[in-house]
Amino acid sequence: MDLSVVIPAFNEEENLQPLLAELRSVLAGMGKTYEIIVVDDGSTDGTFTVLRRLKKDEKALAAIRHRKNFGQTAALATGFSHAQGNLVVVIDADMQNDPRDIPRLIEKLSEGYDVVSGWRYQRKDPLLKILVSRLANGFRRLLTAEKIHDSGCSLKVYKKECLENLPLYGETHRFIPLLLAWKGFKVGELKVNHRPRKSGKTKYGIVRLLKGFLDLITVKFWVQYSTRPMHLFGSMGLLSFFLGLFLGIYLAAMKLLYGIPLANRPLLLLSILLIVLGVQLFALGLLADILIKMYFHNEGDNQRIEIII
Ligand code: UDP
Ligand code: MG
């Protein structure tokens, strides 16, 4: 199998038939073997009924239904674990992405990328949403070493090996390029067409977009410290410990040299607090490090290898 197209769909009954028609005409012209995997993420409308009907004249279609709505990240994870193709394309079910961009994305892979992400440079969404998304993308680029413009664009093409052992939980699908860059995969981007949503409703209001900021912090922590928590907790602990220690020495010196009494000074409490906190943070870091070494020392060892000759 050359190509798997993975489509997460939550309440998209009106969009699936026209999307599949568009997809089919693009895929037929590419001369590749393909499958189309639609993951119905617990829709409450007729999405799965439509899929049953479409399946009758589309042998390449596989429809998977979640028991309930688990979210777009979970839908992608399900799609990925069923994908057989050497390349995996993700596209939204709502017709906002344009299937005609797929061949260009695949072509771009040959420039040496492992994943090529779409960039909705002329995005057709409400202005406020575009602004929040710009802000979030800006923060990500500031905080992390991964610099593509539009990490949240669903339309992407991946080499199969990118998707093994990818930690997909919560709403982390927006950070897949970041996670992949962290694992040493090469991430590229390409300007793609974007269209307004004609049928169905968006699932992401402003509140959910804001939650993306929090996810960014989680992912940033994960990427940077998950294999070495001691670096974070240990340095915070040492800082706190020595601050407290110096305060204590200063107070003791004041007492010994000038006879300034210690008992009524708030600084003494702060000094003790900082020392205790420092020891605890240090111990926490040590513990986290030991746990990680015990449980995860073998994880992904083979994934680091690009080539053996
Ligand atoms: N989606 C999903 N589960 C969810 C929310 C969304 O599978 O809980 C799908 C949805 O059907 C669509 C894609 O994820 O195909 C992107 O969602 P949407 O178009 O609402 O996001 P937007 O384009 O407005 O950011
Ligand atoms: Mg959409």
Side-chain angles (χ1 to χ4, degrees):
M1 178 86 62
D2 298 324
L3 188 66
S4 300
V5 182
V6 170
I7 310 173
F10 177 47
N11 292 344
E12 307 281 7
E13 57 183 357
E14 285 151 14
N15 290 317
L16 285 170
Q17 187 184 353
L19 175 67
L20 242 63
E22 272 192 351
L23 256 179
R24 209 174 305 150
S25 77
V26 170
L27 294 172
M30 289 174 61
K32 290 185 189 301
T33 50
Y34 65 86
E35 60 178 354
I36 301 172
I37 303 175
V38 181
V39 182
D40 173 0
D41 185 25
S43 298
T44 50
D45 68 353
T47 293
F48 206 74
T49 321
V50 172
L51 284 171
R52 276 221 171 84
R53 181 159 50 75
L54 290 170
K55 168 99 189 162
K56 290 204 180 102
D57 8 72
E58 178 58 82
K59 290 289 162 282
L61 174 68
I64 306 173
R65 175 156 67 170
H66 276 175
R67 289 181 203 285
K68 65 174 231 305
N69 178 238
F70 285 101
Q72 193 180 346
T73 303
L76 288 178
T78 298
F80 291 161
S81 71
H82 283 81
Q84 310 270 314
N86 291 322
L87 298 178
V88 178
V89 170
V90 174
I91 186 166
D92 275 349
D94 60 0
M95 306 271 293
Q96 290 200 262
N97 303 130
D98 189 340
R100 278 168 297 187
D101 285 318
I102 294 175
R104 294 174 50 238
L105 286 163
I106 292 177
E107 211 173 291
K108 181 92 180 166
L109 278 180
S110 64
E111 293 176 23
Y113 296 111
D114 298 300
V115 49
V116 176
S117 176
W119 168 12
R120 298 164 291 182
Y121 71 113
Q122 287 176 333
R123 196 168 162 181
K124 303 292 189 322
D125 273 321
L127 190 64
L128 191 58
K129 186 164 179 168
I130 297 177
L131 288 178
V132 173
S133 160
R134 282 257 170 90
L135 209 66
N137 273 303
F139 260 109
R140 172 181 50 77
R141 287 162 61 183
L142 200 71
L143 283 179
T144 73
E146 186 267 298
K147 303 296 181 197
I148 65 170
H149 289 82
D150 183 15
S151 178
C153 178
S154 298
L155 182 59
K156 291 181 170 64
V157 54
Y158 307 88
K159 289 185 184 164
K160 178 177 69 182
E161 56 268 31
C162 289
L163 301 174
E164 284 157 26
N165 297 327
L166 202 60
L168 287 177
Y169 49 78
E171 302 257 312
T172 44
H173 62 271
R174 291 192 196 87
F175 305 109
I176 295 177
L178 170 60
L179 293 165
L180 290 177
W182 175 51
K183 291 183 157 206
F185 291 108
K186 302 216 168 35
V187 180
E189 68 178 339
L190 188 70
K191 288 182 179 173
V192 295
N193 188 19
H194 195 242
R195 309 180 286 196
R197 188 189 254 276
K198 290 214 187 75
S199 314
K201 284 199 202 79
T202 175
K203 279 86 204 176
Y204 298 104
I206 297 304
V207 177
R208 270 186 93 178
L209 280 180
L210 285 175
K211 286 183 187 162
F213 280 109
L214 297 178
D215 290 332
L216 175 60
I217 294 169
T218 316
V219 172
K220 159 93 178 161
F221 180 82
W222 175 264
V223 165
Q224 205 152 359
Y225 295 110
S226 64
T227 55
R228 47 190 185 93
M230 188 55 178
H231 286 190
L232 181 69
F233 292 113
S235 44
M236 281 180 356
L238 283 181
L239 188 74
S240 172
F241 179 83
F242 280 110
L243 260 176
L245 193 69
F246 284 132
L247 263 181
I249 291 172
Y250 163 77
L251 289 172
M254 287 314 220
K255 161 88 180 160
L256 293 176
L257 296 177
Y258 306 109
I260 300 174
L262 276 181
N264 58 350
R265 302 198 67 174
L267 268 189
L268 182 65
L269 274 181
L270 185 63
S271 158
I272 295 169
L273 181 75
L274 286 174
I275 290 175
V276 173
L277 194 69
V279 172
Q280 289 197 333
L281 281 171
F282 199 87
L284 190 69
L286 205 61
L287 213 59
D289 249 26
I290 291 170
L291 281 179
I292 279 166
K293 271 162 202 136
M294 278 168 62
Y295 288 109
F296 298 115
H297 62 119
N298 271 332
E299 191 206 30
D301 274 359
N302 280 320
Q303 271 208 311
R304 301 198 187 101
I305 298 167
E306 185 177 13
I307 193 167
I308 302 176
I309 53 169

